[in-house]
Structure formats: C-alpha cells, structure tokens
Amino acid sequence: MKEIGLVLSGGGARGAAHIGVIQALEEFGIHATRISGTSAGSIVGALYANGISPAEMLKIISQVTMFNAVRPSLLPGGLLRMDGLQLLLKNHLPEDFSKLKKPLTIAAVELKLGQVNYFDSGELIPAILSSCCIPGMFSPIRFKEALYVDGGILDNLPARPLHEQCDVLIGSHCNRVTPWFDVTNMKVVIERSLLMAIGANTLQSKHLCDVVIEPHGLDKFSAFDIGKAKEIFDLGYKFTKENLRKADLAKILG
C-alpha cells in the first residue's frame, strides 16, 4: 500500500482551510495514510486521524469561539488557559495516540532547551495543547516534565518526521505571506511579524514535500477569526479543486 503523508501547518483560524483541502483531496480519491501537524494543523490532523469526516470536522471547529475556548490564566507566562479547547478535544478524541485510526505526529517546542519535539505516542491531548500554545498569549503547557509552546516557532510545517516514512508527501500550508498588508493597529503588526518569522522556517519543509498546497486569499483573515471557519474552509476547498494539477495527481496516485 502506498504511504501518503499529509502535513498540516499552524495558522490559527486559518487552519480551517486544511479541512477544505482534505475534502478536495478525498474527492480526488486521495486519502492520507500518515499525518503530521503543528498548532491548528495538529487539531485538524488529530480529528482526521481519528476518522472524522471533513463535514463533521468543520462542524466541530465551528463550535469554537474565543469565549468558550479560553479562560484567564493566573499562572506566569501567559494571559490565557485553553480549558475550553481541552474539553472540546476530549469530547472528540481518544486519550492516547495509539487509539487513533491513522498514525499522527505533532510538533511542539520545548521551551527550556529551545528545540522542537515530535510526539507520536502516549497522551494525545496534552501534545495538541502544547503545539497550540502561542507564547505570551497562553501559559506554557507542562507535559512530560517539561514546558512546551507552539510548535510553529521552530517547525510550522512538520514534514521532517514523515519524509522518510512516505512515498508521497503533501503539504497544506495556510500561512502564505503576501505583500497585501495595511497597518491598522499594533495587534496586526505583531501578528504580521510573527507570520513572517514563522514563514521562514517553512522553506526547508516545503522542499521536503512532493506537493504543496497554499490556498490564496487566506491573508485577509486573522489567526483569531474563528467565527469565519466556513468561509476559510471554502477557500481551501475551492483552491485545491481548481489548482491541483494532473501532474500532481499522477504523482500522488500513480
């Protein structure tokens, strides 16, 4: 059986585009056998690895709001805790990687050593929360006797752990940096700067992928536009349906 890997980048709310990409890939007859993800990509990747359909994934993601996903934090190192997101994940995912229907790898950054770790066994939900932990916004996640933050800081498109295991590797990247940008407030400037910094670490990862899908138009959405999941999903779906070339399909399915 041909091993098809799917790598899902981080990107906050823009990660809903991954669901549209998956929907389109499945309509082309492409079903990933191994998955890796960072941050938002780890959430979508875990749901997909658990056998949840794109339609059901979109329904689940659409339930998330900033109000129900996070709580104020009294811990040092962050303003918020991801209590609501943790509860949502527990409702739809098993406790352990081994219970998933497809192999999954999740990237998170170990804060003290400053290195990226790839989790593919043991407790699942703490690994996802670690991967999603935006520094400064969320308190670092204590997991396996260490502190973790967002995997996107060092590897926002985790192709490396799948590269040697797959015959074909597909990257879905939702953080494409474009020149269209307007300085409206400090939050926008900070988010743009972080996007560019994270974008730099994806270049090598893209070269490891046989096919890279980068939906256009996502730059108009903030990483916090959770309420626009359906619109973001549609962009990912439409772009993939219209732009996946016959040569790419032959490479993946051949």
Side-chain angles (χ1 to χ4, degrees):
M1 178 180 176
K2 194 170 189 177
E3 290 281 4
I4 300 175
L6 179 62
V7 186
L8 306 174
S9 76
R14 290 186 291 268
H18 296 319
I19 307 175
V21 171
I22 292 169
Q23 175 71 52
L25 289 175
E26 292 200 337
E27 290 179 9
F28 281 123
I30 299 167
H31 301 273
T33 58
R34 293 181 179 273
I35 306 150
S36 69
T38 294
S39 199
S42 75
I43 297 175
V44 174
L47 294 171
Y48 185 38
N50 201 37
I52 297 174
S53 70
E56 186 62 25
M57 278 193 270
L58 181 60
K59 189 181 298 184
I60 292 168
I61 296 296
S62 297
Q63 295 172 11
V64 180
T65 66
M66 288 300 291
F67 178 76
N68 66 24
V70 300
R71 299 288 184 273
S73 176
L74 299 177
L75 298 174
L79 302 173
L80 303 168
R81 303 191 319 268
M82 293 182 281
D83 295 8
L85 176 59
Q86 182 176 12
L87 181 60
L88 183 75
L89 295 174
K90 284 184 175 179
N91 288 337
H92 297 283
L93 295 172
E95 294 182 357
D96 196 278
F97 278 85
S98 64
K99 303 296 183 183
L100 294 170
K101 294 178 174 61
K102 297 180 181 182
L104 171 70
T105 302
I106 290 174
V109 171
E110 208 272 48
L111 194 55
K112 184 176 181 180
L113 297 178
Q115 67 183 26
V116 61
N117 283 7
Y118 299 105
F119 299 107
D120 59 10
S121 62
E123 292 183 89
L124 173 60
I125 292 173
I128 297 173
L129 295 176
S130 297
S131 187
C132 293
C133 188
I134 301 172
M137 173 170 288
F138 299 115
S139 300
I141 301 296
R142 183 166 291 280
F143 181 42
K144 295 191 175 182
E145 300 182 355
L147 289 175
Y148 287 92
V149 293
D150 197 313
I153 300 302
L154 294 179
D155 194 353
N156 199 47
L157 189 67
R160 276 179 289 172
L162 296 192
H163 179 61
E164 297 298 326
Q165 302 180 54
C166 297
D167 300 300
V168 179
L169 199 55
I170 304 168
S172 177
H173 183 239
C174 63
N175 270 344
R176 181 171 174 264
V177 178
T178 65
W180 297 282
F181 170 67
D182 188 20
V183 179
T184 55
N185 55 54
M186 184 176 69
K187 173 178 164 292
V188 170
V189 173
I190 292 172
E191 186 178 345
R192 173 74 173 186
S193 301
L194 184 61
L195 182 67
M196 290 189 293
I198 287 175
N201 75 46
T202 66
L203 294 177
Q204 184 178 2
S205 296
K206 288 180 184 178
H207 289 306
L208 294 178
C209 296
D210 298 287
V211 176
V212 178
I213 300 169
E214 288 187 296
H216 293 193
L218 296 178
D219 50 311
K220 68 181 180 181
F221 297 100
S222 160
F224 305 102
D225 280 337
I226 300 173
K228 298 179 180 178
K230 179 59 168 64
E231 192 175 345
I232 295 170
F233 165 93
D234 288 340
L235 280 176
Y237 173 77
K238 184 177 179 182
F239 180 86
T240 307
K241 290 291 283 188
E242 293 179 352
N243 292 277
L244 201 61
R245 300 171 301 167
K246 289 183 179 180
D248 294 329
L249 290 171
K251 188 184 299 183
I252 297 167
L253 296 171

